[in-house]
């Protein structure tokens, strides 16, 4: 008799209903699941990774690369989902409303930036810039950061459309501090994570709360040799609410189970609000939709929510199917973990777990050379994208000095480039046309709106 396939042995059939057992019995690690993760880690040059899956009422967790299942990985922007949940706790307590303008709680923002609402900021429709760059590094305090946001202004009017913003989540963290009187670290730990049984580490934290050395190091992987080099985390302390958490894949599953009917500090209507896609929020290149803190992904039998996170040399992913009580979490300590995730999704789908994920356009081979009039600079705050269409017909996209070659454009305005590290052709974003003039006025790359700079 032939040996059973991976799909036959994984037994990840959909659960019949929402998971109600937060502290169910531990599920033994699955050797085949570990071998799958080991193989993918070797293929993509990832030194260490964790995979945790909750399905059918039980959790399986495996770790490869000489680490334990409880090791903490910098999860980058997945931190934003926790900061959003923290804000929703304040909504549940009556201290905050989704429709509150940020300026009601952070007066130094001024009238222009301060009119963005909590709901708009959590859904990345607040019109805030992606990041403050050098201004954030030199801010040194929450008050100075807020004033830097005021001076930076908006990239588009609040509510006009989706533009991914770290700034909005940093401001949400400061809003939490203003209301609770706690630091963001204290609030997220004591009000949210403790209730979920999660003990966090932080990439950066003030004073005695700094937990140096308690998280796995990220790695840069050399494209030609496959060698992995450790890299340091560079997140500034003022930006902690947007990316400072370090967690295990098991921790992420516990957080994901909060949306599946398990024990939760949040009421069901607010959990639903976090998942529900906001009309007009089009996170092209990132997800199929966005709610108040969670991205939305289409699956074969259900819609999934979740978030991806990239810190320095790490790539982490969380997906939640609240309808069937399924959660998948991956943590990796290399930038190439994003490609590992794509392959893992395919393997899990083949094994009977239809994980929701964003499906990029499949007709990249139909892309053509861009017209010369697309050349120029496109800016979002201090983030600059430069398109250079050369006389020989070649074109490149330069993002803060990093060159993405072979830029090509599809008929719908989306464009693809070669990824510098891997050489893969990837979707880089899309060009946006001003309906009044019919000319390209902006681009959306990495979910961020960058306005075309006018040439004087």
């Amino acid at each position: 008799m032939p040996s059973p396939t991976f799909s036959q042995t994984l037994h990840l059939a959909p659960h019949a209903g929402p998971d109600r057992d937060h502290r169910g019995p531990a599920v033994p690690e699955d050797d085949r699941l570990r071998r799958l993760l080991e193989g993918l880690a070797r293929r993509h040059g990832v030194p260490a990774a964790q995979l945790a899956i909750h399905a059918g009422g039980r959790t399986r967790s495996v770790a490869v690369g000489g680490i334990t299942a409880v090791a903490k990985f910098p999860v980058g922007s997945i931190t934003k989902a926790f900061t959003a949940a923290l804000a929703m706790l304040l909504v549940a307590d009556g201290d905050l409303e989704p429709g509150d303008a940020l300026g009601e709680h952070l007066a130094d923002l001024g009238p222009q930036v301060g009119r963005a609402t909590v709901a708009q900021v959590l859904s990345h429709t607040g019109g805030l810039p992606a990041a403050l760059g050098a201004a954030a590094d030199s801010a040194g305090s929450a008050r100075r950061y807020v004033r830097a946001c005021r001076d930076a202004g908006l990239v588009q009017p609040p509510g006009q459309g989706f533009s991914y913003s770290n700034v909005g989540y940093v401001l949400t963290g400061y809003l939490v501090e203003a209301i609770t009187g706690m630091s963001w670290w204290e609030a997220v730990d004591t009000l949210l994570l403790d209730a979920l049984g999660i003990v966090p580490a932080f990439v950066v934290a003030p004073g005695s709360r700094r937990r140096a050395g308690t998280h796995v190091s990220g790695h840069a992987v050399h494209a030609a040799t496959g060698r992995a080099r450790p890299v340091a985390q560079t997140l500034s302390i003022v930006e902690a609410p947007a990316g400072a958490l370090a967690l295990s894949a098991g921790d992420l599953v516990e957080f994901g189970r909060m949306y599946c009917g398990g024990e939760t500090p949040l009421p069901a209507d607010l959990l639903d609000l976090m998942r529900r896609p906001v009309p007009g929020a089009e996170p092209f290149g990132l997800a199929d939709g966005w709610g108040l803190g969670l991205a939305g992904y289409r699956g074969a039998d259900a819609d999934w929510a979740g978030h991806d996170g990239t810190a320095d040399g790490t790539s982490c992913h969380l997906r939640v199917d609240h309808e069937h009580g399924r959660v998948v979490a991956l943590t990796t300590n290399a930038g190439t973990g994003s490609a590992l995730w794509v392959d893992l999704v395919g393997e899990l789908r083949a094994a009977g777990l239809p994980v929701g994920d964003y499906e990029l356009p499949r007709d990249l081979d139909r892309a053509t050379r861009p017209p010369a009039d697309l050349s120029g600079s496109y800016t979002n705050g201090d983030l600059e994208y430069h398109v250079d269409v050369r006389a020989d017909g070649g074109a490149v996209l330069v993002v803060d000095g990093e060159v993405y070659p072979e830029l090509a454009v599809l008929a719908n305005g989306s464009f693809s480039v070669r990824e510098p590290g891997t050489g893969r052709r990837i979707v880089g974003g899309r060009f946006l046309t001003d309906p009044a003039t019919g000319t390209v006025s902006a681009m959306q790359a990495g979910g961020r709106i960058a306005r075309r700079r006018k040439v004087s």
Side-chain angles (χ1 to χ4, degrees), residues 6-8 345-353:
F6 175 72
S7 175
Q8 291 170 326
V345 167
E347 293 283 358
L348 293 179
R349 287 175 174 176
L353 181 59

Side-chain angles (χ1 to χ4, degrees), residues 105-399:
H105 304 276
L106 301 171
D108 285 348
L109 276 177
Q112 183 194 32
V113 177
R115 64 193 172 103
T117 68
V118 173
Q120 289 169 341
V121 167
L122 296 184
S123 60
H124 297 287
T125 59
L128 294 165
L132 295 184
D137 294 336
S138 62
S141 70
R143 188 169 187 178
R144 291 178 65 182
Y145 185 94
V146 169
R147 289 178 175 175
C149 291
R150 176 198 62 197
D151 296 339
L154 299 170
V155 298
Q156 61 186 9
Q160 179 171 299
F162 185 94
S163 186
Y164 191 89
S165 173
N166 285 347
V167 171
Y169 274 81
V170 175
L171 293 178
T172 301
Y174 292 158
L175 183 152
V176 168
E177 293 184 343
I179 292 174
T180 65
M182 302 179 183
S183 72
W184 171 82
W185 292 265
E186 292 169 332
V188 75
D189 199 352
T190 61
L191 301 182
L192 179 63
L193 298 182
D194 187 60
L196 298 174
I198 296 173
V199 178
F202 296 101
V203 168
V204 62
S208 62
R209 290 187 60 82
R210 183 175 179 87
R211 303 180 184 180
T214 59
H215 58 77
V216 174
S217 175
H219 291 77
V221 179
H222 192 279
T225 65
R227 291 179 179 175
R229 174 179 56 83
V231 295
Q233 298 299 311
T234 58
L235 185 76
S236 66
I237 195 166
V238 295
E239 296 176 298
L245 279 172
L247 303 166
S248 68
D251 293 333
L252 293 178
V253 162
E254 288 302 302
F255 177 72
R257 291 178 65 192
M258 180 174 71
Y259 300 90
C260 299
E263 293 181 13
T264 169
L266 281 169
D269 62 328
L270 293 183
L271 293 172
D272 179 64
L273 190 61
M274 292 184 68
R275 294 190 306 261
R276 189 187 312 149
V278 171
E282 299 182 22
F284 182 86
L286 296 179
D288 294 302
W290 218 281
L292 303 194
L294 295 174
Y297 307 90
R298 297 191 187 100
D301 65 347
D303 289 334
W304 293 62
H307 214 293
D308 296 327
T310 301
D312 292 293
T314 71
S315 182
C316 303
H317 307 265
L318 172 66
R319 297 292 184 272
V320 180
D321 167 19
H322 77 282
E323 182 178 348
H324 301 102
R326 302 180 296 202
V327 185
V328 177
L330 172 74
T331 56
T332 74
N333 69 340
T336 51
S338 59
L340 187 159
W341 167 254
V342 172
D343 287 352
L344 176 65
V345 167
E347 293 283 358
L348 293 179
R349 287 175 174 176
L353 181 59
V355 183
D357 202 33
Y358 183 61
E359 301 293 337
L360 292 169
R362 299 180 181 276
D363 53 353
L364 297 184
D365 56 337
R366 298 182 184 178
T368 59
R369 292 177 177 177
D373 62 5
L374 290 182
S375 288
S377 294
Y378 301 74
T379 60
N380 176 309
D382 66 350
L383 180 63
E384 182 175 58
Y385 302 84
H386 186 77
V387 175
D388 183 11
V389 182
R390 298 166 177 165
D392 62 3
V396 299
L397 172 67
V398 184
V399 184

Side-chain angles (χ1 to χ4, degrees), residues 28-93:
E29 293 181 347
D30 189 290
D31 287 341
R32 289 182 178 270
L33 202 59
R34 183 185 293 104
R35 285 199 292 272
L36 168 67
L37 188 59
E38 285 176 340
L40 292 176
R42 284 195 300 271
R43 181 188 305 173
H44 295 285
V46 173
Q50 299 166 328
L51 173 62
I53 298 173
H54 185 84
R58 58 177 180 167
T59 299
R60 289 177 175 171
S61 182
V62 297
V64 300
I67 61 166
T68 68
V70 297
K72 309 293 184 178
F73 286 65
V75 297
S77 285
I78 297 179
T79 300
K80 294 182 176 69
F82 289 80
T83 297
L86 189 56
M88 286 296 140
L89 280 173
L90 301 185
V91 172
D93 289 341

